[in-house]
Amino acid sequence: APCGLGPLIMCSKEVSELGVSVDDGDSRAVAENKILVKQSPMIVVYNNEVNLSCKYTYNLFSKEFRASLYKGVDSAVEVCVVNGNFSHQLQFHSHTGFNCDGKLGNETVTFYLRNLYVNQTDIYFCKIEVMYPPPYLDNEKSNGTIIHVKEKNICPGVPSPESPKPFWALVVLSGVLGTYSLLSTMLLFYFWMKRQRTRLLQSDYMNMTPRRPGPTRKHYQPYAPARDFAAYRP
């Protein structure tokens, strides 16, 4: 037996020993005003989804009924329920947070459970109640179905397809550095152009200094011959 399912299997066997199994040929006449139900003894779930069929010894067509699915040995948690009859569209719903849907047949109700977790492994019981026409009928408690939800295991030999983080980190870093270098170059070029323009303006200002009108005269130093002081010596 799977680990942790011992008490559930013992409970299933005890209920079976009470005579509620519907495998006998005369099961349709076991008890008056009681409906018998047949469920699979155990379902192992690998993908968090399960379809649980409840087969009844009663034709539900043209009847007003309530079909439900309960969880736990004492059926303490109502997992999924549907009310109504075949004259209008029925809606399966849950008041306890289960993701459920279903399908109806004349003598079968199938519950679809989705997004199951490992801790929801338990024994599940089908229940049917016929409200109209009278008399009120419900089913004998069946031996239930043990739903064993398996945890998803990832094979260690096959690595999960993840993007190489160091490569993308390098790409992002290169992009940041390239953007920074481009901005720095543009900024330096802007200041260099501004400086060149300032120098050109200053040069034009110097060349535009006003000058005296008319021709300029050249001033020459008067020529004075060199004196021979030796001629004046006695």
Side-chain angles (χ1 to χ4, degrees):
C3 179
L5 300 180
L8 300 179
I9 295 176
M10 291 179 63
C11 173
S12 177
K13 290 182 179 179
E14 291 174 0
V15 176
S16 178
E17 290 174 358
L18 293 176
V20 296
S21 175
V22 296
D23 292 334
D24 299 331
D26 58 347
S27 59
R28 295 178 181 270
V30 170
E32 188 177 359
N33 294 335
K34 286 293 181 181
I35 304 172
L36 301 181
V37 58
K38 183 178 180 181
Q39 301 177 223
S40 300
M42 185 174 181
I43 301 177
V44 180
V45 181
Y46 294 96
N47 57 354
N48 304 102
E49 299 181 359
V50 65
N51 299 339
L52 176 57
S53 295
C54 309
K55 298 180 180 180
Y56 301 103
T57 59
Y58 192 83
N59 194 326
L60 301 175
F61 186 74
S62 74
K63 305 293 191 303
E64 185 176 339
F65 59 88
R66 184 179 191 272
S68 52
L69 181 66
Y70 287 86
K71 172 180 175 292
V73 176
D74 55 353
S75 300
V77 180
E78 185 182 71
V79 175
C80 192
V81 64
V82 60
N83 294 278
N85 52 50
F86 285 88
S87 62
H88 63 278
Q89 185 69 27
L90 301 177
Q91 296 293 331
F92 289 76
H93 58 276
S94 174
H95 299 291
T96 53
F98 281 82
N99 184 353
C100 77
D101 199 356
K103 181 180 180 181
L104 294 175
N106 288 343
E107 297 182 357
T108 304
V109 178
T110 303
F111 294 95
Y112 305 147
L113 302 181
R114 304 290 183 263
N115 302 327
L116 291 175
Y117 298 99
V118 177
N119 59 2
Q120 292 173 326
T121 295
D122 211 326
I123 187 167
Y124 291 74
F125 294 95
C126 300
K127 184 175 179 60
I128 188 72
E129 300 171 89
V130 178
M131 307 296 185
Y132 186 85
Y136 169 84
L137 296 175
D138 63 350
N139 64 282
E140 292 278 358
K141 190 172 183 179
S142 70
N143 55 351
T145 298
I146 297 174
I147 297 181
H148 185 201
V149 184
K150 289 279 191 178
E151 186 176 4
K152 289 185 177 181
N153 295 323
I154 302 176
C155 181
V158 180
S160 57
E162 296 182 354
S163 60
K165 295 182 179 179
F167 171 75
W168 288 112
L170 183 60
V171 171
V172 172
L173 182 61
S174 301
V176 172
L177 292 177
T179 304
Y180 176 77
S181 300
L182 180 61
L183 292 176
S184 301
T185 303
M186 294 176 63
L187 189 62
L188 291 175
F189 180 75
Y190 170 76
F191 282 115
W192 181 81
M193 289 293 296
K194 186 176 181 181
R195 184 178 179 183
Q196 290 293 108
R197 183 177 300 176
T198 303
R199 293 179 61 183
L200 289 175
L201 290 175
Q202 291 178 352
S203 177
D204 292 342
Y205 177 79
M206 295 295 295
N207 292 334
M208 293 175 65
T209 302
R211 299 179 180 180
R212 294 171 58 185
T216 58
R217 296 180 179 180
K218 295 183 180 180
H219 299 277
Y220 298 96
Q221 294 292 335
Y223 173 77
R227 295 182 179 183
D228 187 4
F229 294 96
Y232 296 97
R233 290 180 183 179

